[in-house]
Amino acid sequence: QGNEYVFVANSDNLGALVDLKILNHLIQNKNEYCMEVTPKTLADVKGGTLISYEGRVQLLEIAQVPDEHVSEFKSIEKFKIFNTNNLWVNLKAIKRLVEADALKMEIIPNPKVNIGHF
């Protein structure tokens, strides 16, 4: 249909807006993927952050952190970046990766506690 980029945001992210400056930057620089991040605050301690792991930038979510390191993960001094869950993706890049069976994503288990019925 001629669409080249898709903007994805969590349904609970009421601050998510399509910023055409970001889209224009992606197009001009031929970027295939972009994750919007912001400085981490005390309100953001459970959200994902970016880390360098095995020479690559990767997303680290609290569900991946061993219990003994959760307080360290929540530190806004050690982990200064917060993932807003606003993502920009080039659809042609996704198609290329899917067709090459090269899209490797891990499932991050995140068990929830049932607090009863409403």
Side-chain angles (χ1 to χ4, degrees):
Q1 297 176 349
N3 297 318
E4 190 169 341
Y5 284 87
V6 62
F7 174 73
V8 181
N10 279 6
S11 62
D12 64 347
N13 186 349
L14 301 178
L17 297 171
V18 172
D19 186 335
L20 295 180
K21 287 184 256 177
I22 294 173
L23 177 60
N24 285 328
H25 177 82
L26 298 175
I27 293 169
Q28 289 173 2
N29 292 284
K30 296 182 174 51
N31 297 114
E32 295 181 335
Y33 175 82
C34 174
M35 174 193 299
E36 294 182 31
V37 297
T38 189
K40 188 175 185 178
T41 70
L42 291 175
D44 306 318
V45 295
K46 289 186 178 181
T49 191
L50 297 177
I51 62 168
S52 177
Y53 181 72
E54 295 182 349
R56 297 178 55 195
V57 175
Q58 294 191 358
L59 178 63
L60 178 65
E61 295 283 355
I62 196 166
Q64 297 171 289
V65 178
D67 290 341
E68 64 270 19
H69 294 290
V70 167
S71 61
E72 183 181 3
F73 174 84
K74 290 181 176 181
S75 166
I76 63 173
E77 285 80 31
K78 179 155 186 157
F79 297 101
K80 299 178 187 306
I81 299 296
F82 176 73
N83 171 20
T84 66
N85 285 323
N86 291 347
L87 307 174
W88 295 82
V89 185
N90 181 296
L91 295 170
K92 291 177 184 176
I94 290 177
K95 183 175 194 257
R96 183 184 73 245
L97 292 169
V98 168
E99 287 175 348
D101 194 26
L103 196 59
K104 307 295 182 210
M105 298 185 295
E106 65 181 275
I107 295 174
I108 303 170
N110 192 3
K112 303 292 181 182
V113 176
N114 185 354
I115 57 173
H117 302 287
F118 293 97

